[in-house]
Amino acid sequence: MYIYFGIIVFVFGIVIGSFLNVCIYRIPKQQSIAYPPSHCTSCSSKLKWYDLVPILSYIILKGKCRYCKHNISIRYPILELITGLLYFFIYVKFGIGIVFMKYAVFISIMIVIGMIDFDTTDVYFKTIIVGIAASIIFLLLHYYSGEFIIDYIYGGIFGAGILSFIIVITKGGMGWGDMEICLVCGLFLGLKLTLVMLFLSFIIGAVIGIILILSGVKSRKDYIPFGPFVVMASVITVFVGQNILNWYL
Ligand SMILES: [Zn+2]
């Protein structure tokens, strides 16, 4: 039973990943995520359902549009696969329940925000609004199941506060978009895990930043978006944040 649920969750995650691809592609272009239906970005041919089976269609079509043979980025199936795997691991760690839903929603929103930041170095306010709204729904669910929710509100205030402080003292070393991302993370993770997340994002940012500069991909003057590091740190925190805290304390 356990493994069947695991497979269902994995496939569900892949399908959601396919939707996240649409969001990541369309939101920066100010397009609706619901209309028009999926089409080739090169020849605009409307895609049939069998062109839209996540991962499998990509393999069958060998990464090319059925109609114009335009190359389709391998990023789409990879992101679908990663989303499926993350959903599977959330299920393995937390089982099926509110916590699963909460972290699945959280990680999905973070993937969209992080990838758009990576592509455009911008954070779109509508993605932040969705994050805040979703966090409020889960806060209410926590509240009505008798949990204290003040810790999550402190988490949001702390995440946003630390980033605001850094932005002000470094005069724009980071953007206000990063502050908004950390606000959403704080509301989902709570105070202690937000601390772990921030700590990890600075470490990941420093390590990847140094690698990018040493390898010549970026120069010291280039802007490297911080959002993707926050997203990576958040995903790690969901899975092992509590272990890191226990180990540290
Ligand atoms: Zn095409």
Side-chain angles (χ1 to χ4, degrees):
M1 203 57 202
Y2 181 75
I3 192 70
Y4 289 121
F5 258 126
I7 294 168
I8 292 169
V9 164
F10 176 62
V11 172
F12 177 63
I14 289 174
V15 173
I16 296 291
S18 178
F19 172 67
L20 302 185
N21 273 324
V22 174
C23 296
I24 293 162
Y25 183 81
R26 292 191 182 183
I27 289 171
K29 295 186 164 58
Q30 310 285 356
Q31 295 170 347
S32 158
I33 54 171
Y35 187 86
S38 297
H39 52 272
C40 170
T41 55
S42 176
C43 68
S44 301
S45 298
K46 207 172 132 190
L47 300 181
K48 304 276 184 343
W49 66 268
Y50 48 79
D51 296 327
L52 291 168
V53 183
I55 300 177
L56 289 181
S57 290
Y58 184 89
I59 295 170
I60 292 167
L61 295 170
K62 299 196 179 71
K64 291 180 195 315
C65 168
R66 183 189 297 280
Y67 308 97
C68 70
K69 306 295 174 204
H70 182 78
N71 279 331
I72 304 164
S73 170
I74 186 129
R75 197 175 98 173
Y76 297 112
I78 289 177
L79 193 124
E80 287 160 358
L81 184 63
I82 289 175
T83 310
L85 288 173
L86 287 172
Y87 273 47
F88 176 77
F89 289 127
I90 297 171
Y91 164 69
V92 169
K93 182 150 174 92
F94 301 102
I96 289 286
I98 288 182
V99 181
F100 171 84
M101 279 163 50
K102 174 176 157 167
Y103 284 140
V105 167
F106 174 56
I107 285 182
S108 302
I109 293 171
M110 282 296 122
I111 288 174
V112 171
I113 293 176
M115 289 304 293
I116 292 178
D117 194 12
F118 177 77
D119 286 342
T120 67
T121 71
D122 265 328
V123 175
Y124 284 77
F125 194 58
K126 58 178 91 165
T127 58
I128 298 295
I129 290 290
V130 170
I132 293 172
S135 74
I136 290 172
I137 292 170
F138 286 106
L139 283 183
L140 290 173
L141 286 173
H142 282 315
Y143 180 76
Y144 285 111
S145 57
E147 266 188 73
F148 289 109
I149 58 168
I150 192 73
D151 184 57
Y152 296 97
I153 295 167
Y154 286 151
I157 295 170
F158 182 76
I162 288 279
L163 264 288
S164 303
F165 178 71
I166 294 172
I167 291 165
V168 170
I169 58 163
T170 62
K171 297 194 178 72
M174 281 177 197
W176 291 104
D178 300 322
M179 182 277 284
E180 294 166 3
I181 302 175
C182 289
L183 168 67
V184 174
C185 290
L187 289 170
F188 269 99
L189 294 172
L191 183 58
K192 291 195 193 102
L193 290 183
T194 300
L195 265 168
V196 176
M197 181 282 290
L198 285 169
F199 177 69
L200 288 175
S201 42
F202 288 117
I203 292 180
I204 295 170
V207 170
I208 295 183
I210 289 170
I211 291 172
L212 287 176
I213 289 167
L214 287 181
S215 64
V217 177
K218 296 263 180 190
S219 82
R220 286 188 62 134
K221 285 182 186 139
D222 282 333
Y223 178 75
I224 301 173
F226 187 64
F229 305 137
V230 175
V231 173
M232 284 183 234
S234 299
V235 172
I236 297 172
T237 302
V238 164
F239 290 108
V240 293
Q242 198 57 51
N243 307 55
I244 294 175
L245 262 183
N246 295 345
W247 168 79
Y248 181 74
L249 299 175

